[in-house]
């Protein structure tokens, strides 16, 4: 564990470690029955997070706070650990035997890596959409219904039909598939498959949706549809998206985190957070030279 | 306008263009020869297979030279009918019983009746009084309780006891079809040269006829010490019972182990050990499994495998259960390894998708991973089971009975199996048995062909449903 | 009181009620710890436990094999009839006379294995080279399934084939006075045929694992197809091919039915000093019992437990087990080295 590269990220957005006792927003809205007291700290917050694959430290010292009902974009060169960070936010890294997370990741103030915490519950609340569309080799209907079913949905067939319809509608796919719900999910086009995966993810009513380059396999039209979809979805969900496409980050996200990768003293390529700012600022007035180089394409 | 190519320095030791052309044609020729050699070797392998299959089919059919104690026409006469209008094959049960009564002595008839009676409502050989007495005794004859013989059974008895056919020479299918006369001449010559081999017959009594050793009645007749009427029903049923036990044991355990190793096992020492161990077990000769079965299942666990713990069953542990489990242990590593391969072929993205939706590992495996892996698992399993059906050595060890006529009726029955029957018959010196062994081999190969076909069909059906 | 947003420089978050469109809603946030708490899933624990148990059965099988072979062998050697030394040095196996020297049985096994390899290695390798380097897809599609059929045929049927076809032919060729009815040549040839598909498919796998860049490099230097196959691909795949041959050898050593039927049941007892080496000891035309053959024949009679015969088959079995295990791990080691070459 060589954390000798103690770099300071420039963070224009506070990651408040203090107690959110006198949260003014919550106080103002006492009439709202579902208030989030940890509002200031964001829905997910990482604190000095390091992720290792075996002995290899893939990313180090990531402290970030992801806001409610916003889209946060993670950008950076290939291999800088964006997917790694994303996967550690809902414990998908558990599926990689060699992966290990040091530091803390808070979800509503609770450390999700606490041994007391159930990773299955975390993944139910923090859903994920993957880079390559990966529908189940089942019918479109079952693709959406399965996650709902295993999470203990007790409704009857009609209720399930409604859930499926709503999820597909929310994912802007309903009109295209409503006549062929029993067709295999694999029979759809790539863009449709990806929207099916989004429908599947939001059908289980998550809190946060993580998306790892959801548009990288899609054409511009399909990409546009998914971007519109994300903007629509952020009314209800907090979204964290990894993207290679800087226009996309600029178009859809509210905040952007820029990661970079550098050889450390031991010759390992460790990723780190460079800058975290509101998107319009990061793309217009970057505070760090590296960021500017990257977004202007002058990257070395 | 042309540009002079700059002159290259002449290189020593290299072939001139002409020489190179000659060299090339020589190389091409050599390549052709070698290629032909490779093809020849491949052809030899395929030829070996073809000859093997040919031998089996050739021996499963063919002309035989038979001498009957009583000609079938006389059998018809014994039944009280006219051989000019009725042939032996047309006789009904009653007429066959009449022929049997006329053809055998009373004591033999009583023995047969005690084994299995001829009619439900009347006796043929035994007086009613002694029958009642026999059935009331402590040790009643099997005939007291079993159902009556059917026409086919009586017909076999008449053939065995009255007609008593004796095959004195056999020939293969191809010779019989192409040159039947040669076989007859050969037998005639043998009669002339070695008369001492045939003290009881004259050549005139010999009948030449076509015989299909492999036939439906061969498959459905029980074992017999007389090759002319011996069949493989007992062995086929034994094999079916064995396969049932093998499948019931090896498939759930094997697939379960594969799922554990592929999906749940963390790379601990113990799990590595299990994996290495399974790979090693796959290479252990089958006869060693037989020894394990003999020492543990037949001997140490005799109360269980003989069924005595459950109050029923066999006198010892050499039962369907012990043998089926032995084959199950033998098949286990193969089932595990092929199921693991099938599971490994399922893309990881499916697992991530499942778990990303808040499913537990088991939920994901059961409803997303296993259904995709099933065709592969099924194919591998059927092939493993097909291998188990043909296994002989372990069955010898766990004591498949070499000669029983009683069909197995459950896991605690004594049994024989198809490959054991082939082994027994092959090791007997008289040529008739070789032909029976050929016919039994043919049956076994057809059975395996059906299983393999089923594997292919199942795989295709499943893979179509998924995509 | 400064609102939280001040800290994020003009990015005051507008407070929004989180409305969920559907029925399933997240619980209130204040008891989050409780909500995220590990669930007990007893059903799944039982299932995973049974899956582990299924995997662990294989360990029980190995322990069972080692335990039984070891125990009965121990009884065999402590029986005062034979010592370990005699067992491994004597060249006479005569259970009736209480002579238990394993060499005649090992000799039988070795003879048959060597003959089998003489048959199977050229045929298997040549087939593999042809199929992987030369054959058009159509030719491959014809030959490959045929070789696979060969794998599926039960060994007892091969035994039948040896007795009814190969032995008579050999006796026709060399004369009945030279070739016995039971002889190791027939058994060896048929065992060879039996392991051809094994060797050829493993060799083919090894050759198809050779990166095609290597082939292209050789073609680029003006090599012909033959030169590429024999001088580039085969050497590159050599360890995979060797591993396949070792596996085939292990199969031949453990093969039972063919040798029991075709090679006879008389151990080839010999005396190195007085017996002719090529006329008798290594003669392919005489009968010889193998280790597997002895086990099968002895057990096929109604063998009684706790006799010296019963114990002796386990001592032989243990030897057989060790030999095949050694061959199998040898092949695995060869394969492992092969992998490293290309990774
Ligand atoms: N399963 C794994 N095992 C070992 N190392 C891994 C694994 N996954 C990723 N890595 C390593 O971690 C580092 C970061 O990888 P990651 O996939 O997070 O990058 P990324 O920023 O998402 O790149 P890209 O933009 O190409 O997707 C890389 O050096 C990669 O090699
Ligand atoms: Mg990535």
């Amino acid at each position: 564990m060589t954390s000798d590269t103690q770099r300071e990220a420039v963070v224009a957005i506070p990651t408040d470690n203090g107690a959110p006792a006198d949260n003014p927003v919550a106080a103002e809205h006492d009439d709202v029955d579902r208030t989030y007291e940890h509002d200031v700290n964001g829905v997910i917050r990482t604190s000095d997070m390091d992720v290792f694959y075996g002995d290899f430290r893939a990313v180090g010292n990531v402290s970030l706070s992801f806001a409610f009902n916003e889209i946060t974009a993670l950008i950076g060169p290939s291999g800088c650990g964006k997917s790694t960070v994303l996967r550690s936010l809902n414990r998908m890294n558990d599926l990689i035997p060699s992966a290990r997370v040091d530091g803390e990741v808070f979800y509503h103030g609770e450390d999700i890596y606490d041994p007391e915490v159930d990773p299955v519950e975390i993944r139910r609340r923090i859903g994920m959409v993957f880079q390559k569309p990966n529908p189940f080799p089942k019918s479109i209907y079952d693709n959406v219904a399965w996650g709902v079913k295993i999470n203990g949905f007790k409704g009857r067939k009609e209720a399930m039909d409604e859930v499926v319809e709503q999820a597909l509608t929310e994912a802007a796919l309903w009109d295209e598939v409503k006549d062929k719900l029993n067709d295999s999910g694999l029979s759809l086009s790539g863009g449709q498959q990806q929207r099916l995966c989004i429908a599947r993810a939001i059908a289980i009513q998550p809190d946060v949706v993580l998306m790892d380059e959801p548009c990288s396999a899609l054409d511009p039209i399909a990409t546009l549809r998914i971007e519109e979809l994300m903007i629509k979805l952020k009314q209800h969900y907090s979204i964290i998206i990894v993207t290679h496409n800087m226009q996309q980050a600029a178009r859809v996200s509210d905040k952007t985190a820029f990661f970079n990768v550098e050889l450390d003293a031991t010759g390992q390529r460790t990723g780190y957070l460079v800058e975290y700012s509101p998107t319009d600022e990061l793309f217009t007035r970057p505070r760090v030279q590296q960021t500017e180089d990257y977004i202007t394409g002058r990257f070395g | 306008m042309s540009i002079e190519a700059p002159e290259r320095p002449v290189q020593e030791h290299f072939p001139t263009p002409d020489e190179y052309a000659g060299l090339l044609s020589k190389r091409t020729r050599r390549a052709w020869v070698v290629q032909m050699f490779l093809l020849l070797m491949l052809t030899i392998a395929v030829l070996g297979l073809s000859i093997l299959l040919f031998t089996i089919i050739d021996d499963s059919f063919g002309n035989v030279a038979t001498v009957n104690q009583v000609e079938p026409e006389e059998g018809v006469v014994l039944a009280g009918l006219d051989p000019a209008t009725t042939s032996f094959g047309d006789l009904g049960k009653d007429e066959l019983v009449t022929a049997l009564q006329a053809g055998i002595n009373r004591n033999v008839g009583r023995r047969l009746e005690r084994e299995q009676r001829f009619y439900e409502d009347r006796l043929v050989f035994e007086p009613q009084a002694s029958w009642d007495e026999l059935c009331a005794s402590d040790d009643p004859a099997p005939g007291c309780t079993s159902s009556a013989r059917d026409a086919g059974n009586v017909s076999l008895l008449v053939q065995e006891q009255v007609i008593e056919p004796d095959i004195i020479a056999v020939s293969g299918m191809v010779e019989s079809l192409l040159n039947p006369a040669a076989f007859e001449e050969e037998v005639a010559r043998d009669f002339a040269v070695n008369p001492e081999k045939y003290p009881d017959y004259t050549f005139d009594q010999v009948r030449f006829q076509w015989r299909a050793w492999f036939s439906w009645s061969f498959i459905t007749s029980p074992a017999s010490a007389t090759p002319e009427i011996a069949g493989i029903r007992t062995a086929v049923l034994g094999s079916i019972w064995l396969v049932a036990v093998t499948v019931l044991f090896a498939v759930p355990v094997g697939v379960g182990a594969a799922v554990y190793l592929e999906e749940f096992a963390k790379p601990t020492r113990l799990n590595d050990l299990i994996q290495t161990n399974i790979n090693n077990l796959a290479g252990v000769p089958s006869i060693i499994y037989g020894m394990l079965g003999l020492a543990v299942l037949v001997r140490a666990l005799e109360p269980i495998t003989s069924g005595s713990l459950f109050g029923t069953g066999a006198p010892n542990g050499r039962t369907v259960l012990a043998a089926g489990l032995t084959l199950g242990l033998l098949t286990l590593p193969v089932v595990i390894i092929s199921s693991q391969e099938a599971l490994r072929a399922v893309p990881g993205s499916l697992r991530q998708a499942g778990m990303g939706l808040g499913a537990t590992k088991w939920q994901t495996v059961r409803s997303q991973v296993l259904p995709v892996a099933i065709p592969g698992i099924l194919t591998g399993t059927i092939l493993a089971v097909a291998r188990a059906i043909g296994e002989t050595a372990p069955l010898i060890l766990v004591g498949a009975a070499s000669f029983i006529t009683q069909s197995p009726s459950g896991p605690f029955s004594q049994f024989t199996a198809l490959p054991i029957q082939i082994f027994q018959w092959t090791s007997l010196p008289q040529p008739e048995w070789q032909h029976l062994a050929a016919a039994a081999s043919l049956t076994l190969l057809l059975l395996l062909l059906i299983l393999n076909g089923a594997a292919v069909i199942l795989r295709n059906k499943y893979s179509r449903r998924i995509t | 009181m400064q609102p939280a947003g001040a800290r994020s420089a003009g990015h005051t978050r507008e407070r929004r009620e989180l409305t969920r469109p559907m029925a399933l809603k997240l619980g209130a946030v204040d008891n989050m710890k409780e909500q995220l708490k590990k669930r007990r899933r007893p059903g799944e624990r039982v299932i995973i436990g049974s899956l582990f148990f299924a995997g662990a059965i294989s360990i029980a099988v190995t322990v069972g094999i080692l335990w039984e072979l070891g125990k009965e062998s121990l009884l065999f050697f402590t029986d005062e009839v034979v010592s370990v030394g005699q067992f491994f040095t004597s060249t006479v196996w005569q259970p009736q006379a209480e002579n238990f020297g394993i060499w005649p049985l090992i000799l039988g096994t070795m003879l048959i294995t060597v003959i089998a390899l003489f048959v199977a290695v050229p045929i298997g390798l040549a087939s593999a080279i042809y199929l992987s380097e030369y054959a058009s897809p159509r030719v491959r599609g014809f030959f490959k399934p045929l070789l696979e059929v060969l794998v599926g045929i039960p060994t007892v049927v091969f035994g039948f084939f040896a007795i009814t076809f190969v032995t008579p032919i050999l006796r026709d060729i060399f004369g009945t006075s030279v070739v016995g009815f039971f002889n190791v040549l027939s058994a060896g040839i048929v065992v060879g045929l039996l392991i051809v598909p094994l060797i050829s498919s493993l060799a083919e796998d090894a050759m198809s694992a050779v990166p095609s860049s290597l082939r292209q490099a050789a073609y680029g230097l003006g090599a012909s197809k033959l030169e590429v196959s024999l001088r580039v691909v085969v050497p590159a795949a050599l360890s995979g091919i060797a591993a396949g041959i070792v596996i085939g050898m292990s199969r031949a050593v453990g093969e039972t039915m063919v040798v029991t039927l075709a090679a006879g049941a008389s151990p080839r007892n010999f005396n190195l000093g007085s017996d002719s080496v090529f006329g008798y000891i290594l003669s392919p035309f005489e009968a010889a019992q193998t280790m597997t053959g002895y086990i099968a024949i002895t057990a096929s009679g109604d063998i009684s437990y706790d006799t010296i015969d019963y114990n002796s088959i386990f001592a032989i079995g243990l030897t057989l087990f060790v030999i095949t295990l050694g061959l199998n791990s040898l092949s695995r080691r060869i394969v492992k080295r092969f992998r490293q070459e290309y990774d």
Side-chain angles (χ1 to χ4, degrees), chain B residues 326-351:
Chain B
T326 305
L327 292 185
L329 293 177
L330 170 86
T331 337
L332 195 57
V334 190
V335 173
I336 297 177
I337 290 172
S338 62
S339 303
Q340 276 188 289
E341 270 161 23
L343 287 168
R344 225 171 286 150
V346 177
S349 66
L350 275 190
R351 295 181 183 86

Side-chain angles (χ1 to χ4, degrees), chain B residues 20 27 30-31 34-35 37-39 41-46 48-49 51-53 55-56 59 249 252-257 259-261 264 270-271 273-274 276-281 283-289 291-292 294-296 298-300 302 318 329 332 336 360-363 390-393 396-397 419 422-423 426-427 434-435 437-438 441 444-445 448, chain C residues 41 44 47-48 51-52 54-62 64-65 68-69 72 122-123 125-127 129-131 134 139 142-143 146-147 149-150 152-161 163-165 193 196 222-224 226-227 230-231 250 254 256-257 260-261 292 295-297 299-303 305-306 310 313-314 317-318 320-321 324-325 328-329 332:
Chain B
Y20 184 77
R27 277 163 70 190
R30 199 187 309 142
V34 172
Q35 187 177 346
F37 170 78
L38 298 177
L39 189 57
M41 286 290 145
L42 183 57
T43 315
I44 289 178
V46 172
L49 169 73
I51 296 175
L52 190 156
L53 295 178
T55 308
I56 288 167
D59 280 0
F249 172 76
V253 174
V255 175
V259 168
Y260 174 75
L261 289 172
F264 293 99
L270 176 63
N271 292 331
L273 180 72
I274 293 179
T276 318
N277 182 50
I278 287 166
N279 297 342
N280 278 328
L281 280 180
V284 172
S286 62
I287 196 165
I288 303 270
Y289 284 94
M291 303 180 80
L292 176 71
L294 172 64
V296 174
V298 173
R299 194 177 169 190
E302 178 170 327
R318 297 167 182 267
L329 293 177
L332 195 57
I336 297 177
T360 61
K361 190 88 198 231
W362 169 244
Q363 284 170 325
E391 276 296 346
T392 321
I396 295 180
L397 267 288
I422 298 171
F423 172 57
T426 306
S427 35
Q434 307 292 325
H435 289 259
S441 300
L444 184 57
L445 292 183
L448 297 179
Chain C
R41 298 184 176 87
E44 292 203 356
I47 289 169
I48 294 167
L51 294 179
F52 169 75
I57 284 183
S58 69
I59 300 270
V61 173
T62 307
I65 289 176
E68 288 297 339
L69 292 181
E72 301 290 342
I123 297 184
L125 274 191
S127 306
I129 297 173
Y130 189 83
L131 286 177
Y134 283 90
V139 173
F142 173 75
F143 281 109
L146 284 179
L147 286 181
V149 169
L150 215 47
I153 295 177
T155 56
V156 69
V157 175
F158 277 97
F160 168 83
F161 177 62
I163 287 272
T164 54
F165 184 83
L193 183 60
V196 161
S224 69
L226 174 76
E227 288 153 349
L230 294 190
R231 306 245 174 109
S250 157
T256 308
M257 298 322 297
T260 308
L261 282 167
T292 52
I295 298 173
I297 292 292
S300 65
D302 233 349
I303 187 169
Y305 305 138
D306 295 326
Y310 180 82
I313 65 171
F314 285 86
L318 186 60
L320 182 66
F321 181 78
T324 51
L325 191 72
N328 291 344
S329 13
R332 209 160 315 125

